[in-house]
Amino acid sequence: MDVELPIDVAEQLEENDETVAETLAALARDHVQMQDSINAYTDRDDEGAGPDSNPLETNPPIAELLGFQLESIGDGEAVVTIEPGPEHANPMGTLHGGVLCDIGDLAMGAAYGSTLGDDESFTTLELDVKFRRPVWEQPLTATGQVMDAGRTVGLVTCDITGPEGELVAHLQSVCLTLRGESAKGR
């Protein structure tokens, strides 16, 4: 994606401001990508028809914002990855626990969502996380799996692992399946 700076901004930058120009262009590209992701979710058909309307087929806006990548989804399982950077750090310099909660929540939600019918949606009733070890800037994989999908309530788990398969965090959620009017617009 090629994004040009507005001419009035580009003209105000001096020749030695190349780094500033590159940073501004990168921010503009990120903004366009985020807007595209938001539009993919807000412009979809509430009836759930058509490939453009399936929110499970695209990276959701939160994934774009935090740098997650939805790698695979289907049959009650989903895999989400992240390569965290310094922007994901907590005050101690390790990966912020909220980022681990978010990636695990996305993996579990996508896994649960993959088991639902076109006319169904869901909401999370409970989310529990157990942090096992601190991590810094290393690639992580979150694997969400539906453990039990009842007609109304489901149990989903997620292991977040590091590059050597070491367990970083374990999450569990309880999801409530929504149908009919409750599912519309969700």
Side-chain angles (χ1 to χ4, degrees):
M1 170 184 329
D2 192 26
V3 175
E4 297 287 327
L5 290 176
I7 193 74
D8 59 327
V9 173
E11 287 173 353
Q12 292 179 27
L13 296 174
E14 308 224 352
E15 286 183 30
N16 61 354
D17 287 336
E18 188 173 318
T19 303
V20 173
E22 289 172 0
T23 300
L24 288 173
L27 289 170
R29 279 191 303 276
D30 290 349
H31 178 76
V32 168
Q33 186 175 359
M34 178 67 71
Q35 284 305 124
D36 288 347
S37 177
I38 291 169
N39 290 340
Y41 274 71
T42 58
D43 293 343
R44 64 190 174 93
D45 179 0
D46 284 334
E47 298 302 315
D52 292 337
S53 66
N54 186 347
L56 297 177
E57 292 179 358
T58 59
N59 245 11
I62 190 66
E64 297 293 336
L65 178 66
L66 294 178
F68 303 158
Q69 183 59 48
L70 185 56
E71 300 289 344
S72 65
I73 181 172
D75 298 325
E77 184 171 298
V79 176
V80 182
T81 59
I82 183 175
E83 292 198 26
E87 68 275 15
H88 297 103
N90 64 25
M92 284 72 65
T94 60
L95 183 67
H96 193 281
V99 175
L100 292 170
C101 288
D102 278 336
I103 193 171
D105 187 44
L106 175 57
M108 290 185 294
Y112 194 74
S114 75
T115 67
L116 301 178
D118 290 341
D119 60 339
E120 297 176 320
S121 186
F122 75 98
T123 190
T124 301
L125 295 176
E126 184 177 318
L127 174 68
D128 179 62
V129 60
K130 304 287 191 247
F131 301 108
R132 299 289 302 135
R133 63 177 39 126
V135 292
W136 289 263
E137 295 178 31
Q138 64 188 60
L140 298 175
T141 301
T143 305
Q145 294 182 313
V146 176
M147 303 308 291
D148 182 42
R151 175 163 157 61
T152 305
V153 176
L155 175 65
V156 189
T157 64
C158 177
D159 283 337
I160 301 175
T161 56
E164 305 298 320
E166 67 277 19
L167 184 63
V168 173
H170 176 78
L171 294 88
Q172 183 172 313
S173 70
V174 176
C175 297
L176 174 67
T177 301
L178 303 171
R179 294 177 184 86
E181 286 299 314
S182 298
K184 287 191 177 184
R186 294 186 65 107

